[in-house]
């Protein structure tokens, strides 16, 4: 299995509070991704990174920001959490954009 | 626009029966093709991939998939399903295009296995 960890694995937070999710990889892959998964919507890309300090938006980026200060770490921040951001969040990595992605175990976030 | 279609939202099969999950893609050239499996509460695991060469690809857990260029399909098969195969299955496409490289997931097929 690819060396990808996500923290925390579960989190419950209140509406309006900031939340940061962390993805850590030991594979030295250039590309890192954040997805959210919701019933009926499949996987939706939030943001991705193509190198240290290089990031771009995905299809559902509103309300989210990311940072990548080291190759191995990719942070996802919800500036002010809303109930619509209750979801399971997955981090993924790849060597190239068109190559296979490897996924972390996910973070279940509940916003009350 | 490139896309990945999994026509079956949900499939139910009996344990021991054969399985085929469908995947169609829309892309001008031959893309890279992948199948993933997601067990409940888990992340996605890569089952197999096709880059080039032999169009029949073997994967983990006894799965195989066949690339058919004429049908723009990459269907996943297993000759005899086990109860532990119950999961969500995602087809994915990696594409090199004029606007850059991209990666697309299908919406998934949920597999139920009955004893």
């Amino acid at each position: 299995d690819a060396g990808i960890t996500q923290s925390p694995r579960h989190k419950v937070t209140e509406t309006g509070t900031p939340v940061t999710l962390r993805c850590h990889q030991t594979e030295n892959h250039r590309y890192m991704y954040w997805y959210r998964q919701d019933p009926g919507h499949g996987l939706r890309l939030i943001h991705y990174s193509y190198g240290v300090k290089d990031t771009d938006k995905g299809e559902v980026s509103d309300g989210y920001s990311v940072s990548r200060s080291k190759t191995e770490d990719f942070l996802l921040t919800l500036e002010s959490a809303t109930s619509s951001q209750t979801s399971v969040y997955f981090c993924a990595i790849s060597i190239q954009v068109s190559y296979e992605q490897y996924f972390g175990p996910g973070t279940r976030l509940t916003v009350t | 626009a490139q896309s990945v279609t999994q026509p079956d939202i949900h499939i139910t099969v009996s344990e021991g029966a054969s399985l085929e999950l469908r995947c169609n893609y829309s892309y001008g050239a031959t893309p890279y093709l992948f199948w993933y499996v997601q067990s409940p509460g888990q992340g996605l695991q890569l089952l197999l991939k096709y880059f080039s060469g032999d169009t029949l690809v073997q994967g983990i857990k006894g799965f195989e998939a066949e690339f058919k260029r004429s049908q723009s399909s990459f269907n996943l098969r297993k000759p005899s399903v086990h109860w532990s195969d119950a999961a969500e299955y995602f087809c994915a496409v990696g594409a090199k295009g004029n606007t850059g490289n991209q990666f697309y997931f299908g919406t998934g097929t949920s597999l139920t296995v009955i004893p």
Side-chain angles (χ1 to χ4, degrees), chain B residues 25-46:
Chain B
Y25 65 89
S26 172
Y27 183 62
T30 299
Y32 304 140
L33 298 162
F34 312 91
W35 274 101
Y36 288 83
V37 61
Q38 184 182 30
S39 298
Q42 304 293 315
L44 277 71
Q45 181 183 19
L46 182 67

Side-chain angles (χ1 to χ4, degrees), chain A residues 12-59:
Chain A
V12 179
T13 191
E14 294 183 347
T15 298
T17 60
V19 177
T20 295
L21 308 183
R22 179 179 183 242
C23 176
H24 178 78
Q25 62 147 328
T26 57
E27 307 296 321
N28 201 35
H29 283 9
R30 177 181 177 187
Y31 294 88
M32 299 186 74
Y33 312 82
W34 277 108
Y35 292 91
R36 61 177 291 174
Q37 186 176 37
D38 306 286
H41 291 277
L43 286 164
R44 292 184 290 176
L45 182 65
I46 305 171
H47 282 280
Y48 69 98
S49 169
Y50 46 97
V52 173
K53 298 185 179 179
D54 292 324
T55 65
D56 206 348
K57 296 179 179 180
E59 63 177 300

Side-chain angles (χ1 to χ4, degrees), chain A residues 37 90 97-101, chain B residues 32 36 38 49 94 101 103:
Chain A
Q37 186 176 37
F90 287 101
V97 172
S98 56
Y99 287 19
E100 65 271 29
Q101 296 182 10
Chain B
Y32 304 140
Y36 288 83
Q38 184 182 30
K49 61 184 178 183
N101 298 341
F103 199 92

Side-chain angles (χ1 to χ4, degrees), chain A residues 49-103:
Chain A
S49 169
Y50 46 97
V52 173
K53 298 185 179 179
D54 292 324
T55 65
D56 206 348
K57 296 179 179 180
E59 63 177 300
V60 290
S61 59
D62 287 347
Y64 301 95
S65 62
V66 290
S67 66
R68 191 172 179 195
S69 59
K70 297 185 290 185
T71 299
E72 57 267 33
D73 290 326
F74 192 33
L75 304 181
L76 176 71
T77 297
L78 289 66
E79 304 290 349
S80 177
T82 68
S83 58
S84 64
Q85 293 175 313
T86 292
S87 185
V88 180
Y89 292 85
F90 287 101
C91 174
I93 64 174
S94 71
I95 297 174
Q96 293 276 7
V97 172
S98 56
Y99 287 19
E100 65 271 29
Q101 296 182 10
Y102 295 96
F103 283 77

